[in-house]
Amino acid sequence: MNAFGGKVPEGLKVWKQTDIDHRKMGRNDPCWCGSGRKYKQCHCNFDDKLELMKRQGHIVPFRSMIKTKEQIEKIKESAKINIAVLDYVEAHIKAGVTTEEIDKWVHDETIKRGGIPAPLNYQGYPKSVCTSINHVVCHGIPSPDVVLKEGDIVNVDVSTEYKGYFSDSSRMFCIGEVSAEKKRLVEKARECIQVGLEQVKPWGFLGDMGQAINDFAKENGYSIVRDIGGHAIGLEFHEDPWVSYVSRRGEEMVMAPGLMFTIEPMVNMGSEEIYVDDSDGWTVYTEDGLPSAQWEVQVLVTEEGYEIIAY
């Protein structure tokens, strides 16, 4: 399955079993993060803590997964464009608009701001944005033949490259008056993001967030898609680790400060089962034909908790 959100990677067990990139450094050497400070004054204690957690059997990030201060600032510039483009969509989306028009908005507004639509030609994807309506879970391909109508719910997923740095977020939109059932799904999907964010804490685990989201969805009568999840991002469109929202507390990768990833659970009204459209190889549908909803934020783990980078 081609997937922006990231399918369960075949190589998952490989990075789980690989030792941390922990090149020995002298305490007075310049820190590996590029800060210019001595290692002992910068990431020495950080590395020691990760090494201890690895010895305890936990999955820890490579150094290359930890974003430096300079990288974070550049990623934020990309995110400014991503947010502005979604704001534009939010201001103009309505019944009667085609998803092809949304694609043109996203393409033109991104280019105007100096960015590049990251999805365009990514692994062969033909458009600049994903537009997923009602029972389309994700990766809906914009088309001049698909017209938004009263009562639809639609996810617009925007991703931006700016000067080699990447951002990614999505929002749900209710077109006109939607049914109470769809409206509740959209609201609870958004609440899943907040529930997940509350678990993003330095030195916690991605599984803390995954279990909290899955438990919340189930408590409200919904299911979370298992086979597609989130991903780290910033220097590439998709980076390790892959992020599950049906994981267990105390498991998965350590959320070390500097780790940046997306929170984007796909919340189904019915079964978690999905399938991919054979005709285009991209569009993902719910197996039972019931609606699905998804919001996405890009988040950075900090020493104090988290910072939302794109929304």
Side-chain angles (χ1 to χ4, degrees):
M1 180 193 301
N2 288 321
F4 293 172
K7 68 175 180 177
V8 179
E10 294 177 359
L12 185 62
K13 293 184 184 300
V14 174
W15 65 255
K16 280 189 174 183
Q17 294 169 354
T18 303
D19 286 341
I20 183 175
D21 173 21
H22 201 154
R23 176 172 58 87
K24 293 296 183 183
M25 300 188 67
R27 289 175 57 81
N28 290 314
D29 290 344
C31 187
W32 54 261
C33 74
S35 67
R37 300 170 64 194
K38 292 181 179 180
Y39 180 54
K40 65 183 179 182
Q41 298 170 335
C42 197
H43 273 87
C44 183
N45 291 339
F46 176 96
D47 282 348
D48 287 345
K49 187 162 188 173
L50 283 185
E51 181 64 21
L52 175 61
M53 296 186 83
K54 184 176 78 72
R55 290 175 181 172
Q56 293 171 340
H58 300 300
I59 306 163
V60 299
F62 301 124
R63 286 175 178 166
S64 59
M65 296 177 181
I66 302 301
K67 303 299 185 286
T68 67
K69 183 177 180 180
E70 180 181 2
Q71 290 168 344
I72 291 166
E73 291 308 309
K74 291 178 178 178
I75 294 166
K76 285 181 177 180
E77 291 300 311
S78 175
K80 287 179 183 177
I81 297 174
N82 211 75
I83 293 165
V85 171
L86 271 169
D87 286 346
Y88 184 93
V89 172
E90 187 163 355
H92 293 82
I93 197 167
K94 61 182 179 180
V97 167
T98 69
T99 53
E100 181 76 10
E101 289 177 86
I102 297 173
D103 183 72
K104 188 175 189 307
W105 295 343
V106 170
H107 180 274
D108 292 352
E109 292 299 315
T110 302
I111 298 298
K112 184 173 75 175
R113 290 169 170 80
I116 299 170
L120 187 59
N121 300 319
Y122 179 79
Q123 295 185 1
Y125 187 77
K127 296 292 184 177
S128 297
V129 68
C130 295
T131 51
S132 304
I133 304 171
N134 297 330
H135 66 298
V136 177
V137 177
C138 61
H139 308 155
I141 301 175
S143 166
D145 300 324
V146 178
V147 182
L148 297 180
K149 62 183 185 298
E150 189 91 4
D152 283 340
I153 58 172
V154 56
N155 175 269
V156 178
D157 191 346
V158 173
S159 309
T160 302
E161 178 186 354
Y162 179 67
K163 296 183 178 180
Y165 295 87
F166 292 82
S167 54
D168 188 9
S169 56
S170 78
R171 300 178 195 172
M172 290 296 300
F173 301 103
C174 294
I175 307 303
E177 291 297 322
V178 303
S179 68
E181 292 80 8
K182 282 184 178 179
K183 186 176 181 180
R184 181 177 185 270
L185 173 67
V186 170
E187 290 173 349
K188 293 302 177 183
R190 188 168 193 170
E191 288 176 27
C192 279
I193 298 294
Q194 187 57 45
V195 167
L197 284 169
E198 289 170 0
Q199 299 301 315
V200 178
K201 301 172 184 177
W203 310 110
F205 302 90
L206 286 173
D208 301 348
M209 175 189 67
Q211 179 161 354
I213 288 172
N214 194 30
D215 288 350
F216 179 80
K218 285 183 175 179
E219 288 166 5
N220 284 279
Y222 303 122
S223 63
I224 299 291
V225 172
R226 290 177 173 271
D227 294 335
I228 308 176
H231 54 94
I233 182 173
L235 309 185
E236 300 289 343
F237 190 2
H238 292 90
E239 304 170 357
D240 284 336
W242 181 77
V243 181
S244 170
Y245 309 108
V246 292
S247 45
R248 297 181 65 83
R249 186 172 297 280
E251 298 182 357
E252 304 298 323
M253 186 171 282
V254 173
M255 290 189 286
L259 192 66
M260 184 182 291
F261 54 89
T262 63
I263 304 179
E264 50 176 317
M266 298 166 194
V267 184
N268 290 357
M269 187 178 287
S271 165
E272 68 192 40
E273 297 300 324
I274 58 175
Y275 71 94
V276 181
D277 190 330
D278 290 335
S279 66
D280 63 36
W282 282 101
T283 310
V284 180
Y285 296 92
T286 58
E287 185 72 44
D288 55 18
L290 292 176
S292 183
Q294 177 195 31
W295 299 77
E296 177 184 10
V297 297
Q298 180 174 341
V299 63
L300 169 72
V301 183
T302 68
E303 294 285 355
E304 295 77 28
Y306 65 84
E307 180 180 357
I308 296 175
I309 303 298
Y311 56 88

